[in-house]
Amino acid sequence: LRLAEQAAAPRHAPEEFARAQTTLSQAQQAFAQGMAERQLALLARRAVRQASEATRLAEQRAAEAALAAERQTARQEIERLSKLLGQG
């Protein structure tokens, strides 16, 4: 989950990140209660898969947001320059 946090998953993939946190908590509780190793391993692997998915989505969504911001900046610059040229 730390890698997902570093990838800003709580911001860009909050539902997926929350799912991974919940599954990790379940695995920790299961461990504390002495759950069978095989079932515990299944829970732990699920938490890792969910955290990995949250990381992937967060990175993808962050890149999309950055691209959208660049496009918006470019549009604003085009408008500014168009106004300057229209005044000349």
Side-chain angles (χ1 to χ4, degrees), residues 12 18 20 22 25-26 28 33 35 38 43 49-51 62 67:
H12 294 290
T22 298
S25 292
Q26 290 170 347
Q28 290 170 331
Q33 294 171 358
M35 180 182 270
R38 183 179 177 130
L43 271 176
R49 276 194 310 272
Q50 290 169 333
L67 184 57

Side-chain angles (χ1 to χ4, degrees), residues 9 11 16 21 23 38 46 48 54 60-61 68 83 86:
R11 178 176 172 205
E16 293 82 1
Q21 282 184 309
T23 304
R38 183 179 177 130
R46 184 182 306 149
V48 170
Q60 178 183 348
R61 291 172 183 167
K83 287 178 184 176

Side-chain angles (χ1 to χ4, degrees), residues 39-53:
Q39 292 181 341
L40 184 59
L42 288 173
L43 271 176
R45 279 194 289 274
R46 184 182 306 149
V48 170
R49 276 194 310 272
Q50 290 169 333
S52 177
E53 178 67 6

